[in-house]
Amino acid sequence: MRYDYLIVGSGLYGAAAAYCLHRLGKRCLVIEKRPHLGGNLYCESIEGINVHKYGAHIFHTTSKKVWNFVNAIVEFNRFTNAPLANYKGNLYNLPFNMNTFCRIWDDVKTPKDVEKRIAEQQSVIKKQIGDREPQNLEEQALLLVGKDIYERLIKEYTEKQWGRKCTELPAFIIKRLPIRLTFDNNYFNDRYQGIPIGGYNQLIDGFLKDIPCEVNVDFFHSTYHDWRNIANKLIYTGPLDQYFDFVLGKLDWRTVSFHTRVEPMPNYQGNAVINYTSHDVPYTRIIEHKHFERFGTEVYDLPTTVVSEEYPMEYQEGMEPYYPINDEKNNRLAEQYRQLAIAEQDVIFGGRLAEYRYYDMAPIVEKVLNQFGYE
Ligand code: FAD
Ligand code: UDP
């Protein structure tokens, strides 16, 4: 047999798995249907700036093991995500913290003031739902931060992002966001955070440097579909339902269209991420890519900048599947597919698409280290 593993997909899961297996002496071949390696981490150089082609990616983790593993491949900078929200022309800090609260409520100055104000607003929703658990995102958000913040910073943004009413979305989505009674605009609570110096391609190229890779090869439309002729095992990181030829039906996804342009100025918005939380603006956020790599680089000396507007939309065939939709119908269908996957001999289903789970990058690395890691 020519290979121990055929790996379908060169995203973070496929690339990190190939790296670990190669270190264990296994022979791997990676195939990728896109014209480049790296999956959603891929960066395109435009005007000397690393543009996050598939959306802003900030690496963050609590795990020292994961952090050391990726930093052994490429050093990370000290970028800290501190997005702003623009609601009808007014700017607010995210995540919800003392800076946000003081801007929303003029008379609020201390954590105690905030607790009092949120408690007043909470009492309204508590009266409505009593002791039961919040049953949707709207109830959850009202319980967490009250009506004023919900209406300005959550409701319309969430409806644009998911294309569904907040009353039809699961409560857990909003629990991702920290709420702090300190003046701290760091979007994440994790101990480690940053962006690879030189961009994410450095990380992927580092993982794959000694491994044969073929791009522009779609597993389903190539001779590799008969993989048992060339490899002992298959690692599959494409969409779960597609592997089984959609036999149980199609899983739904949410996708994003990125409108990227060059602006003739060194600094367009002064921050990497600005969310637009009102329905008046059709996109959810504007990313200005050069801010991701500002530390110790000459990026601000460049006369131009590159920005991307993000337009979320419902996935249709031919688009990129980005976010799994974790409603009841899709969770049930994904579980049925996972049962089929368990029965597939010598096939490992890994990553965001093949597991139909919304993983951040660090949990993907952690999974790979647990599955194929070495000490
Ligand atoms: P992917 O990157 O999707 O890789 C799968 C690869 O398989 C793709 O390259 C695909 O082309 C290839 N493939 C699929 N089918 C086939 C086939 N038939 N034949 C050959 N190749 C195939 N995480 C964070 O930690 N921080 C962030 O800030 C962050 N921001 C994000 C923003 C957006 C808009 C999105 C969508 C995700 C974000 N993530 C973020 C999550 C992050 O992108 C994922 O954790 C990571 O990309 C998952 O890697 P993966 O290898 O599972 O999937
Ligand atoms: N969210 C919001 N307003 C914001 C940012 C986020 O209401 O300005 C909500 C929205 O429902 C979103 C969820 O919080 O889906 C999680 O946000 P996060 O930025 O973690 O989502 P990502 O786009 O990174 O998956």
Side-chain angles (χ1 to χ4, degrees):
M1 205 55 88
R2 266 171 51 212
Y3 298 103
D4 295 304
Y5 289 87
L6 173 67
I7 301 178
V8 176
S10 66
L12 185 59
Y13 187 97
Y19 175 80
C20 290
L21 288 164
H22 179 75
R23 296 265 305 237
L24 293 171
K26 305 291 181 197
R27 293 155 305 156
C28 301
L29 170 67
V30 175
I31 58 167
E32 168 57 58
K33 73 174 180 185
R34 292 180 185 169
H36 57 73
L37 302 172
N40 290 343
L41 275 57
Y42 174 71
C43 294
E44 186 177 9
S45 179
I46 302 179
E47 305 267 319
I49 296 159
N50 281 312
V51 171
H52 294 210
K53 193 174 158 73
Y54 301 94
H57 278 75
I58 299 121
F59 199 97
H60 56 99
T61 181
T62 51
S63 162
K64 194 168 188 173
K65 188 175 170 189
V66 166
W67 187 242
N68 287 345
F69 175 72
V70 292
N71 273 272
I73 307 291
V74 53
E75 201 184 329
F76 278 56
N77 70 16
R78 61 168 190 83
F79 180 82
T80 299
N81 196 26
L84 291 154
N86 181 322
Y87 181 73
K88 296 188 188 287
N90 292 315
L91 290 174
Y92 302 89
N93 289 107
L94 294 173
F96 310 123
N97 72 80
M98 287 303 295
N99 289 308
T100 331
F101 302 132
C102 291
R103 185 105 172 80
I104 294 258
W105 298 305
D106 283 348
D107 54 338
V108 156
K109 304 285 177 235
T110 65
K112 218 173 178 172
D113 295 343
V114 174
E115 279 171 341
K116 193 164 158 256
R117 181 60 52 89
I118 290 183
E120 278 162 24
Q121 303 214 343
Q122 278 172 337
S123 65
V124 180
I125 178 78
K126 278 186 179 157
K127 251 184 229 146
Q128 282 167 23
I129 70 170
D131 286 338
R132 74 166 162 78
E133 289 287 305
Q135 268 166 8
N136 56 54
L137 193 147
E138 177 167 292
E139 289 181 0
Q140 180 68 73
L142 288 169
L143 264 183
L144 286 173
V145 288
K147 175 172 167 289
D148 294 344
I149 291 184
Y150 172 66
E151 285 179 355
R152 271 184 254 185
L153 302 183
I154 298 178
K155 184 175 187 295
E156 295 170 33
Y157 180 95
T158 299
E159 289 179 356
K160 283 196 282 188
Q161 169 80 2
W162 295 100
R164 288 155 175 78
K165 296 240 166 293
C166 289
T167 47
E168 291 161 12
L169 286 164
F172 80 87
I173 292 178
I174 199 69
K175 284 195 182 160
R176 277 172 66 101
L177 295 189
I179 292 163
R180 296 195 193 107
L181 296 185
T182 53
F183 291 92
D184 178 359
N185 297 326
N186 183 347
Y187 202 58
F188 303 114
N189 285 327
D190 293 340
R191 180 158 177 192
Y192 307 104
Q193 181 174 176
I195 308 278
I197 294 173
Y200 280 95
N201 297 1
Q202 303 286 332
L203 178 67
I204 297 294
D205 293 349
F207 281 144
L208 294 176
K209 89 175 147 52
D210 296 319
I211 292 149
C213 299
E214 293 180 26
V215 294
N216 291 314
V217 176
D218 187 326
F219 175 64
F220 297 104
H221 301 107
S222 73
T223 52
Y224 292 122
H225 202 210
D226 299 323
W227 59 274
R228 288 179 205 274
N229 298 330
I230 61 148
N232 293 321
K233 289 196 172 170
L234 179 75
I235 296 182
Y236 175 78
T237 73
L240 177 59
D241 52 356
Q242 189 179 10
Y243 180 90
F244 296 101
D245 204 15
F246 310 103
V247 63
L248 304 174
K250 288 195 175 179
L251 290 165
D252 295 323
W253 301 87
R254 192 82 179 142
T255 193
V256 183
S257 168
F258 300 100
H259 294 197
T260 297
R261 64 178 190 271
V262 176
E263 284 285 342
M265 59 187 79
N267 186 0
Y268 178 74
Q269 63 181 16
N271 204 36
V273 184
I274 299 196
N275 292 359
Y276 285 79
T277 57
S278 146
H279 269 318
D280 303 350
V281 177
Y283 42 84
T284 44
R285 39 188 187 189
I286 297 186
I287 307 301
E288 186 173 8
H289 301 268
K290 66 163 54 169
H291 298 293
F292 289 124
E293 45 184 350
R294 67 179 176 268
F295 306 102
T297 70
E298 276 85 51
V299 80
Y300 287 135
D301 298 340
L302 297 168
T304 54
T305 190
V306 181
V307 299
S308 301
E309 291 167 358
E310 289 191 21
Y311 295 80
M313 51 187 66
E314 211 64 19
Y315 170 83
Q316 282 166 9
E317 218 173 307
M319 294 175 169
E320 294 290 350
Y322 284 132
Y323 299 95
I325 306 222
N326 291 114
D327 59 14
E328 228 170 86
K329 174 192 139 210
N330 284 289
N331 284 343
R332 200 174 327 113
L333 185 55
E335 199 42 49
Q336 289 166 355
Y337 274 119
R338 285 186 204 116
Q339 291 308 314
L340 294 184
I342 290 169
E344 278 297 282
Q345 287 251 312
D346 298 323
V347 184
I348 297 159
F349 292 79
R352 202 175 47 94
L353 302 171
E355 296 181 54
Y356 197 70
R357 293 213 162 92
Y358 185 57
Y359 285 123
D360 278 336
M361 290 181 280
I364 294 265
V365 172
E366 192 146 26
K367 260 202 116 162
V368 168
L369 286 176
N370 288 337
Q371 277 175 299
F372 312 108
Y374 50 87
E375 289 308 322

